[in-house]
Amino acid sequence: IKAPKISTDQAGNTRLPAHNLSQQNVPELPPELVGLEPKGALSVDANHQLVPDENLRNLFDFHLANLDREPMDLVLNRIRATLANRLGEPARSQALALLNNYVNYRLALTRIDQNLPPGFDHDGFDLNALTLRQKALLAARAEHFTPQTHAAFFGEDEQLDNYTLERLTIERNEALTEQQKAQQLAQLEHALPEHIQRTRARATINSNLFEKTEAMRSNGATDADIFQLRAQNLGETAAANLAELDLQQQAWQSRLDHYRQEKARITNASLSPEDQQN
C-alpha cells in the first residue's frame, strides 16, 4: 500500500486524517466497483460494542485494494462513510480505531515484502523463506491487533498457512518413505477443520474434472461427452451452467480474435499515425 500525505508518530504508526462523519458529499465508487461492495452485516454485541469478524475485514480490504488507483484520503473517506451508515456508537468509533490499526498493519506488510526474501525460488517454494515470512506476519498481527481481532481476522488464514508449511516440510523430508509421507499428509489433512476439508475436497474434484475435460477436448470429445462427464461428477444443473459458460467464453474469444484481426488490418494499412490512432 502506498500512503501519500499520511503522517506518522514517533513510533512510525500512521495517523489517519481527521474526518467529519456527517459529511454527505462522499465520492461514489468507481463504476467498475459499483454493486460489488461487501454486504455482510457488521457484528455488534448486546451492548452495541463492535465484534470484529471477517465481514469487517472484507469491507476494509475491498476499499483498500483500490489504493493503486485512488488517493488514500478518498478511499478512507468511503470506508468511514460506510461505517457511519452501518454502525451506531460505540461500535462506530471502535471500527474507526480498528481501521487505523488495519492500515498500519497493511503498511507493515509492505515492509515485510521489501525486507524479506520471496517465498519461492527457481525450484519452487522456498520453505525457509516462507517460514520467515509467516513469523513476521504473526508478529505484525500481534503488534496491531488484540487476540480477539487477530483470531477473527486471520484465524482461518493461519490454519491454511500452517497446513501448507507442514505439508511442504513432510514432502521434503528425505528421511521419510513415500508411504510414511502419504500417511503423515493424510493425518495433516484430517486435522484441518471440517469445513476447510470440504472446501479442499471440492477444489480437488473441480481441478481433476477440469484436467479431464481438457484432455477429452484434445482427443476430440463432443460437447455431449463433456456434459455427461460433468453431470456424473457435479450434477446436471452444474453441468448445464458450465456448458453455458463454455458458450460465453467461446463468444468472448471470438470477439478478441476479431479485435486482433481488425487491429492488425489498421496497423498494416497505409495510414498516418494520427489516422491509425483514430
Side-chain angles (χ1 to χ4, degrees):
I1 296 178
K2 297 179 181 178
K5 300 181 181 178
I6 301 297
S7 61
T8 58
D9 59 20
Q10 293 181 348
N13 290 323
T14 301
R15 294 302 181 193
L16 304 185
H19 177 73
N20 180 5
L21 289 175
S22 65
Q23 180 179 345
Q24 299 298 317
N25 298 322
V26 177
E28 297 180 356
L29 283 169
E32 65 271 19
L33 297 182
V34 172
L36 300 179
E37 186 177 30
K39 303 299 183 186
L42 304 182
S43 299
V44 297
D45 64 16
N47 296 317
H48 307 290
Q49 304 285 327
L50 180 72
V51 179
D53 60 14
E54 64 179 6
N55 286 342
L56 183 59
R57 181 191 168 189
N58 289 340
L59 179 68
F60 289 168
D61 283 340
F62 171 81
H63 289 285
L64 293 174
N66 208 40
L67 282 174
D68 59 341
R69 291 173 291 179
E70 295 187 319
M72 173 76 91
D73 286 355
L74 178 59
V75 171
L76 292 176
N77 282 349
R78 289 204 187 99
I79 301 176
R80 293 183 177 111
T82 300
L83 296 176
N85 290 333
R86 296 172 66 176
L87 291 172
E89 293 295 355
R92 178 190 305 165
S93 294
Q94 293 165 348
L96 290 171
L98 185 50
L99 172 62
N100 188 90
N101 292 344
Y102 196 72
V103 170
N104 280 318
Y105 165 71
R106 292 282 297 264
L107 292 169
L109 297 188
T110 300
R111 293 191 290 272
I112 290 173
D113 282 338
Q114 293 170 347
N115 296 329
L116 292 181
F120 54 89
D121 53 26
H122 61 280
D123 293 325
F125 289 113
D126 183 337
L127 183 56
N128 290 331
L130 286 173
T131 302
L132 285 175
R133 294 175 72 86
Q134 178 70 350
K135 290 180 179 178
L137 278 177
L138 292 175
R141 291 166 183 172
E143 177 184 353
H144 292 94
F145 304 107
T146 66
Q148 178 193 15
T149 301
H150 183 157
F153 276 14
F154 309 107
E156 188 166 311
D157 288 350
E158 289 178 6
Q159 286 179 316
L160 290 172
D161 289 343
N162 292 336
Y163 166 85
T164 300
L165 290 175
E166 291 181 37
R167 184 180 182 89
L168 288 171
T169 300
I170 294 170
E171 291 174 342
R172 298 187 180 190
N173 188 343
E174 297 179 356
L176 298 176
T177 65
E178 291 303 316
Q179 182 178 1
Q180 289 171 328
K181 288 182 180 180
Q183 183 179 9
Q184 291 191 20
L185 289 173
Q187 292 173 347
L188 182 63
E189 186 87 21
H190 185 69
L192 286 170
E194 187 174 342
H195 72 282
I196 296 181
Q197 291 185 48
R198 290 196 300 267
T199 300
R200 286 181 52 78
R202 285 196 299 269
T204 299
I205 291 173
N206 292 339
S207 177
N208 292 340
L209 183 59
F210 175 79
E211 292 177 0
K212 288 180 181 178
T213 56
E214 291 300 295
M216 288 175 63
R217 284 198 176 99
S218 299
N219 293 323
T222 64
D223 290 342
D225 295 330
I226 300 296
F227 181 90
Q228 184 176 7
L229 174 67
R230 288 168 167 171
Q232 290 172 349
N233 286 271
L234 303 175
E236 291 197 359
T237 299
N241 290 338
L242 288 171
E244 177 64 25
L245 181 60
D246 287 342
L247 293 175
Q248 294 173 3
Q249 290 176 334
Q250 291 168 11
W252 179 246
Q253 187 60 50
S254 178
R255 290 178 62 189
L256 287 177
D257 292 342
H258 177 71
Y259 166 80
R260 293 189 184 102
Q261 292 169 3
E262 289 297 298
K263 183 177 180 180
R265 182 182 63 80
I266 294 170
T267 302
N268 296 328
S270 300
L271 299 172
S272 68
E274 183 179 0
D275 287 340
Q276 282 193 7
Q277 185 63 36
N278 289 335

